[in-house]
Amino acid sequence: MKNRYLDALKTSALSIIPMIAIVLVLHFTNLAKITQGDSLDNIWLILAGMVVLVIGLALFQIGASSSLTKVGEYMGASLSKQKKIFVVILFSFALGLLITCAEPSILIVSKQVTIIPDNPAANAIVLIGGIALGVGIFVVIGVIRITKHQSLKLWYLLFYFITFLIICLIAIDPDRRKLLPFIFDAGGVTTGSATVPFILALGAGIAAVRGGKNATDDSFGLVGMASIGPIMTTAILILIRSNIPAYIPPSYYEGSVFMKFVDAMIFSPTGTGSAIEVLIAIAPILIIFFIYNGLYLHLPKKRIYKLLIGFVYTYVGLTLFLSATNAAMSPIGSIVGGNLSSQNDAVIILICFAIGLVTILCEPAVHVLTKQIAEISDGRIKKSTVVIALSLGVGVAIALAAIKAIFKINILYIVIPGYIIIMVLMFFTPKIYTAMAFDSGGTASGPMASSFVLPMIIGIVMARDGGTENVYEYGFGVVALIAMTPIIAIQILGLSQSIKTQKALKVMRAHVYSDEDAQIIHF
């Protein structure tokens, strides 16, 4: 048990420290100062944030594997045996809906977008509710696809085609199209540290019990499917709005370093801190699970006890992680972006690429995904290989976001070619890599992308433009790009692995067969 905790702390430290190191290098090289004058407050703030992030991420990793993941496995295996389709639909929808409300990234982004002015609570309910509804619907669709042995590629093609038709309606409206980047971001923020462990395990559980020759391939893909729904529902929400309010910058915490963390944990500009937000998000998941357990699973008390302990770890870990991101990472990200804007365009783009390389390491859900990939592939697909591919993908994504912000490029000019490439690669990439690719895209865009990278890009736009007029159009969209480029990176990885395998087989055949082997001998 001791080694388990030490391993989790070591993994967390290696994940968080590179990001903090880049911020400190930017500060001490005067590329992007995070303090004014001789003040060291922000230095202490980011160092304290680093410690809290490491502890929070370690506790989350320990807790998620024995709580959210187990719930997904138990319910996935059970739901796949259900003969009553309405039971499958009801519980899949409820869990998809509720677990989305526990997603830290959505809680963070909902405070940065204003649909209903002067009413933060109603604004959060509408935004989070719309996104969660999309996830719930598409989790049901994904579960039905697995149980019915349907092709993942065809379903992706169908629903992305419908999604882009809806996007076209928004693109022709000069006011609403400013929110296109946020609409695409909605799909990215959906799948993160809370949602991914559960949905991955749910898909794996259903695929394992259903069996068949494609069971391993079908273990993945549900996260990618769940990412489509929020784009649709958010687009519809923007379409039915009569007016689009201006961007309102979020307010950050003031006072001493200690009080900033206390306020982030207990309070917030909307009245609740991370301790309450995580509790409200996790409690419904437990309630639904206990209802299902009482009706169908009937797990022994020992397993229930282990689940509850795991949820305690998950709760404490996510609370600490969110408190650190809200108190330290978001305000520091905004400051870094604002000060970085004065640098040469090429320098900004290169720095954003470097930040992207390490951002993926800070995302809690990535560790869950890479572990499951290694387990399901029996070690054939190494964790390090997947992480490198994801890092390169996210580095390109944040560099593209910086280019979009600097040169005022419409996000459709990046997203449409990107998804065309993805759809074409689907027909050449092995099935398991296609499914993993879409799951990786959702996983990469977690709370660190929302809490640090997004404020940084917004800071660049606000500093360059001297105001908030273009923030929605050119500041947002980075989370969507972070969700898109890893899909391409993993697909290319799968394609290269397939080519290597074919070459190896060709070499083996050359050694086994000689020219005489081509003759046909009749007996």
Side-chain angles (χ1 to χ4, degrees):
M1 182 64 72
K2 184 179 178 182
N3 289 338
R4 182 187 176 194
Y5 290 113
L6 290 175
D7 288 343
L9 281 171
K10 181 181 177 181
T11 302
S12 301
L14 291 173
S15 301
I16 300 299
I17 290 174
M19 172 66 78
I20 306 300
I22 285 180
V23 174
L24 293 176
V25 167
L26 292 175
H27 170 75
F28 288 111
T29 56
N30 293 322
L31 288 171
K33 299 280 287 185
I34 62 173
T35 60
Q36 293 182 347
D38 297 327
S39 174
L40 297 176
D41 286 352
N42 283 343
I43 300 292
W44 292 118
L45 178 63
I46 197 167
L47 291 175
M50 177 185 70
V51 174
V52 177
L53 283 171
V54 168
I55 295 172
L57 180 55
L59 291 174
F60 170 80
Q61 288 177 305
I62 295 168
S65 62
S66 56
S67 59
L68 292 174
T69 302
K70 288 297 181 184
V71 167
E73 289 174 354
Y74 292 144
M75 294 195 67
S78 177
L79 285 171
S80 65
K81 299 175 184 177
Q82 284 289 342
K83 295 181 180 179
K84 298 176 180 178
I85 191 65
F86 79 91
V87 174
V88 177
I89 292 173
L90 175 64
F91 282 97
S92 296
F93 174 77
L95 284 165
L97 178 79
L98 292 173
I99 206 161
T100 303
C101 298
E103 186 51 56
S105 301
I106 295 175
L107 299 175
I108 293 167
V109 171
S110 66
K111 298 172 184 177
Q112 302 186 52
V113 178
T114 304
I115 298 295
I116 304 175
D118 306 321
N119 195 335
N123 185 71
I125 290 170
V126 169
L127 286 173
I128 295 173
I131 292 171
L133 180 65
V135 175
I137 292 170
F138 272 77
V139 165
V140 171
I141 292 171
V143 167
I144 292 173
R145 181 200 69 81
I146 295 172
T147 57
K148 298 296 182 182
H149 301 262
Q150 297 295 311
S151 168
L152 180 64
K153 294 177 181 179
L154 292 178
W155 283 51
Y156 275 145
L157 284 170
L158 171 64
F159 287 112
Y160 271 111
F161 176 72
I162 296 170
T163 300
F164 277 98
L165 286 180
I166 299 172
I167 292 297
C168 288
L169 297 176
I170 295 174
I172 61 177
D173 187 308
D175 290 328
R176 287 177 172 79
R177 69 184 176 206
K178 291 180 180 179
L179 281 171
L180 277 176
F182 167 66
I183 291 170
F184 285 110
D185 279 349
V189 299
T190 302
T191 47
S193 54
T195 318
V196 167
F198 172 79
I199 295 181
L200 277 174
L202 180 66
I206 292 174
V209 172
R210 190 214 67 187
K213 63 179 182 179
N214 295 322
T216 302
D217 296 346
D218 286 335
S219 298
F220 297 95
L222 191 56
V223 174
M225 188 66 72
S227 300
I228 302 173
I231 301 176
M232 277 193 183
T233 52
T234 306
I236 293 169
L237 175 64
I238 300 302
L239 276 175
I240 63 177
R241 289 294 302 168
S242 57
N243 66 311
I244 306 300
Y247 173 77
I248 302 173
S251 55
Y252 295 119
Y253 302 99
E254 298 180 356
S256 65
V257 171
F258 176 75
M259 286 309 301
K260 284 180 180 179
F261 281 94
V262 171
D263 287 347
M265 188 175 293
I266 302 174
F267 307 105
S268 81
T270 57
T272 57
S274 59
I276 303 299
E277 288 175 340
V278 175
L279 181 62
I280 292 172
I282 287 179
I285 301 168
L286 274 172
I287 292 169
I288 290 292
F289 173 73
F290 280 122
I291 292 172
Y292 190 85
N293 180 65
L295 292 173
Y296 302 107
L297 288 174
H298 308 296
L299 294 175
K301 290 182 179 180
K302 188 175 181 180
R303 289 190 183 182
I304 296 294
Y305 176 74
K306 286 184 177 180
L307 277 175
L308 290 175
I309 295 297
F311 269 106
V312 170
Y313 277 106
T314 302
Y315 170 76
V316 175
L318 273 182
T319 299
L320 291 174
F321 192 91
L322 269 180
S323 299
T325 56
N326 290 331
M329 299 311 293
S330 290
I332 294 296
S334 182
I335 293 169
V336 168
N339 292 331
L340 191 62
S341 64
S342 61
Q343 299 296 327
N344 179 274
D345 293 346
V347 172
I348 296 173
I349 294 166
L350 285 172
I351 290 173
C352 287
F353 177 75
I355 289 173
L357 292 177
V358 299
T359 297
I360 192 68
L361 301 175
C362 304
E363 299 295 358
V366 168
H367 302 282
V368 178
L369 175 69
T370 52
K371 181 181 178 182
Q372 186 158 349
I373 288 173
E375 289 175 355
I376 289 180
S377 66
D378 296 324
R380 287 181 289 106
I381 305 171
K382 295 181 180 179
K383 178 180 177 180
S384 58
T385 305
V386 177
V387 170
I388 290 170
L390 290 175
S391 294
L392 291 171
V394 175
V396 171
I398 300 179
L400 285 173
I403 292 169
K404 181 175 75 71
I406 293 168
F407 299 107
K408 302 293 185 290
I409 299 172
N410 189 310
I411 192 170
L412 292 179
Y413 293 128
I414 302 173
V415 170
I416 291 177
Y419 276 97
I420 289 173
I421 293 170
I422 288 169
M423 297 305 160
V424 171
L425 284 173
M426 278 202 308
F427 293 97
F428 300 96
T429 306
K431 288 182 180 179
I432 190 170
Y433 278 97
T434 297
M436 285 193 308
F438 279 91
D439 283 357
S440 300
T443 304
S445 50
M448 194 58 67
S450 305
S451 64
F452 180 81
V453 179
L454 179 58
M456 181 184 73
I457 299 297
I458 289 174
I460 292 172
V461 173
M462 289 178 62
R464 285 286 179 105
D465 296 350
T468 61
E469 183 180 353
N470 294 319
V471 167
Y472 277 137
E473 195 166 6
Y474 303 115
F476 283 83
V478 62
V479 180
L481 297 178
I482 290 175
M484 182 185 74
T485 51
I487 301 176
I488 299 173
I490 298 296
Q491 284 181 312
I492 292 172
L493 174 64
L495 192 60
S496 65
Q497 291 287 340
S498 179
I499 293 170
K500 285 180 182 178
T501 302
Q502 293 301 320
K503 285 183 177 179
L505 288 173
K506 188 176 180 180
V507 171
M508 287 173 63
R509 292 191 189 102
H511 285 290
V512 172
Y513 298 108
S514 64
D515 293 337
E516 287 79 10
D517 292 331
Q519 299 176 8
I520 300 175
I521 302 174
H522 296 277
F523 293 94

